[in-house]
């Protein structure tokens, strides 16, 4: 079967650059949307030129120019959006409504993968303010996709390893301490950690797979479904030393949000639902969804222990 042509939006971002790499590696004709008004962001320009040397096509377009989006979309079969939905970086989820309008006008898209890649927003109807804005906005985008009858795949990738494992699941930390750790609650709620390159590889695998059409794909690598305590134990084993442990009860954690900047509050609420409630792993996958490591057993994913070795 001929591989789909892919347009990646946000292709120089944290996940987007990995999606470009994975798409090229899988042999897809890969297009990257970039703004003409890129200014003097030399790192982005050099990344784009590097991708071009590897075979990617660079397409100029902007969310403020509807026709440029339509023109870019008409070049491909599949559109993947990886614009940021993380407030500490930039929250642009609702910009995708303009992209959906362009997909409708183009009329040729076989599959759209919107910017999801985290907690499944459909399961977060009871999320706390202000963190719920992320999930609410993603559900607005989903409704627009489904109302327009655009074929889709939603990727629920759970916890990005770089953000969670690096800091031993402690908010605001991305390097593991060799001395101490603060457990969130009892530290026993299970979460799911996926290496960012693996997220991209699994995502690209789904785009031509009929089993993932109009479904949510959960990334649940079996060896990476662990509690914070289990992550800490892996790190302790690697460094040959037991960390000094303290814990913060959920009431104290929630009280600590007061007075913090809005973006910080949003992120901390996400940590609350993951680490105090176990929202990622406390349910069975239903018939309207599939699990990536079962679909693609040939992919050798990075285990938590393998990932943590990079910090030694």
């Amino acid at each position: 079967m001929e591989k789909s042509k892919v347009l990646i939006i946000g292709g120089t971002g944290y996940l987007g650059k990995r999606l470009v790499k994975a798409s090229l590696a899988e042999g897809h004709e890969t297009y990257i949307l970039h703004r003409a008004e890129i200014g003097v962001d030399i790192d982005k320009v050099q990344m784009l030129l590097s991708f071009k040397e590897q075979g990617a096509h660079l397409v100029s377009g902007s969310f403020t120019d509807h026709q440029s989006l339509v023109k870019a979309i008409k070049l491909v079969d599949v559109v993947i959006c990886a614009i940021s939905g993380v407030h500490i970086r930039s929250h642009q989820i609702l910009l995708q409504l303009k992209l959906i309008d362009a997909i409708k006008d183009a009329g040729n898209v076989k599959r759209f993968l919107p910017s999801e890649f985290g907690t499944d927003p459909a399961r977060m109807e009871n999320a706390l303010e202000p963190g719920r804005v992320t999930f609410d906005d993603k559900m607005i985008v989903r409704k627009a996709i489904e109302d327009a009858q655009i074929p889709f795949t939603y990727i629920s990738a759970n916890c990005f390893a770089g953000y969670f494992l690096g800091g031993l699941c402690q908010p605001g930390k991305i390097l593991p301490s060799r001395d101490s750790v603060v457990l969130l609650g009892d530290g026993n709620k299970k979460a799911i950690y996926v290496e960012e390159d693996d997220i991209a590889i699994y995502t690209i695998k789904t785009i031509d797979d009929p089993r993932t059409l109009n479904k949510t794909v959960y990334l649940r690598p079996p060896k990476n479904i662990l509690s914070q305590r289990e992550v800490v134990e892996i790190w302790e084993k690697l460094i040959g030393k037991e960390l000094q442990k303290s814990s913060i009860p959920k009431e104290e954690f929630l009280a600590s949000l007061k007075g913090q900047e809005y973006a910080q509050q949003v992120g901390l609420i996400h940590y609350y639902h993951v680490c105090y409630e176990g929202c990622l792993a406390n349910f069975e996958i239903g018939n309207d969804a599939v699990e990536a490591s079962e679909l693609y057993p040939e992919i050798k994913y990075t285990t938590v222990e393998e990932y943590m070795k990079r910090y030694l």
Side-chain angles (χ1 to χ4, degrees):
M1 186 179 72
E2 188 176 345
K3 291 180 180 283
S4 288
K5 298 176 183 177
V6 182
L7 174 66
I8 297 173
I9 295 160
T12 58
Y14 183 66
L15 183 62
K17 62 189 177 188
R18 292 171 165 88
L19 289 164
V20 172
K21 179 182 169 186
S23 180
L24 290 169
E26 276 290 303
H28 292 277
E29 194 170 330
T30 304
Y31 294 74
I32 308 168
L33 190 78
H34 70 93
R35 297 190 307 274
E37 64 277 13
I38 202 164
V40 291
D41 193 335
I42 191 67
D43 288 335
K44 280 190 178 179
V45 169
Q46 290 186 342
M47 191 186 303
L48 288 167
L49 293 175
S50 172
F51 285 144
K52 186 180 177 186
E53 287 176 354
Q54 295 169 53
H57 305 279
L58 307 184
V59 186
S60 180
S62 170
F63 282 102
T64 60
D65 181 349
H66 177 75
Q67 286 306 318
S68 73
L69 290 178
V70 173
K71 186 177 177 183
I73 290 163
K74 283 187 173 179
L75 296 170
V76 301
D77 309 300
V78 172
V79 177
I80 304 175
C81 189
I83 60 175
S84 176
V86 181
H87 280 74
I88 58 170
R89 297 171 77 92
S90 63
H91 182 74
Q92 301 175 320
I93 292 300
L94 292 181
L95 270 181
Q96 293 177 106
L97 297 176
K98 294 184 177 183
L99 183 58
I100 290 165
D101 287 339
I103 289 171
K104 285 193 287 188
D105 283 358
N108 62 296
V109 170
K110 296 177 182 175
R111 188 99 54 120
F112 176 41
L113 283 68
S115 185
E116 295 245 350
F117 305 110
T119 305
D120 180 2
R123 301 196 58 84
M124 300 304 293
E125 63 271 13
N126 296 317
L128 299 179
E129 297 283 3
R132 66 171 300 122
V133 65
T134 305
F135 312 121
D136 290 344
D137 285 359
K138 286 181 177 181
M139 290 306 293
I140 289 169
V141 171
R142 284 192 180 193
K143 185 176 187 302
I145 291 167
E146 292 167 30
D147 285 351
Q149 297 185 318
I150 296 167
F152 64 84
T153 297
Y154 303 140
I155 304 292
S156 177
N158 299 299
C159 297
F160 282 22
Y163 281 100
F164 277 79
L165 294 179
L168 302 175
C169 312
Q170 300 169 101
K173 297 182 185 294
I174 55 173
L175 286 172
S177 170
R178 290 173 177 257
D179 300 307
S180 62
V181 63
V182 177
L183 299 174
L184 303 185
D186 61 14
N188 289 325
K189 295 292 185 186
K190 299 282 189 182
I192 305 164
Y193 313 95
V194 191
E195 202 267 350
E196 290 84 342
D197 289 331
D198 292 344
I199 293 171
I201 291 166
Y202 280 122
T203 298
I204 296 301
K205 278 286 188 185
T206 70
I207 62 178
D208 283 331
D209 189 341
R211 298 172 297 177
T212 63
L213 181 62
N214 296 333
K215 289 185 182 290
T216 297
V217 178
Y218 291 101
L219 275 55
R220 286 184 165 188
K223 292 182 180 178
N224 291 5
I225 304 173
L226 301 168
S227 68
Q228 183 187 14
R229 277 189 185 275
E230 288 169 323
V231 170
V232 170
E233 285 169 7
I234 287 170
W235 178 238
E236 289 174 331
K237 177 184 163 190
L238 287 172
I239 64 172
K241 178 185 176 184
E242 191 170 334
L243 302 186
Q244 182 180 343
K245 299 176 186 70
S246 57
S247 66
I248 177 168
K250 69 176 180 181
E251 295 80 9
E252 189 179 328
F253 182 87
L254 290 172
S256 74
L257 271 64
K258 290 177 183 174
Q260 299 213 37
E261 292 182 6
Y262 177 78
Q264 297 294 332
Q265 291 187 42
V266 170
L268 288 169
I269 289 295
H270 294 176
Y271 268 89
Y272 171 79
H273 289 299
V274 169
C275 296
Y276 287 93
E277 295 187 341
C279 68
L280 301 180
N282 64 358
F283 64 94
E284 297 296 321
I285 295 173
N287 294 330
D288 58 343
V290 288
E291 198 285 310
S293 67
E294 291 180 2
L295 291 181
Y296 313 111
E298 72 277 9
I299 294 175
K300 187 184 181 302
Y301 64 84
T302 305
T303 66
V304 169
E305 183 166 359
E306 289 165 348
Y307 189 88
M308 295 300 290
K309 285 178 181 176
R310 67 189 62 189
Y311 298 110
L312 291 174

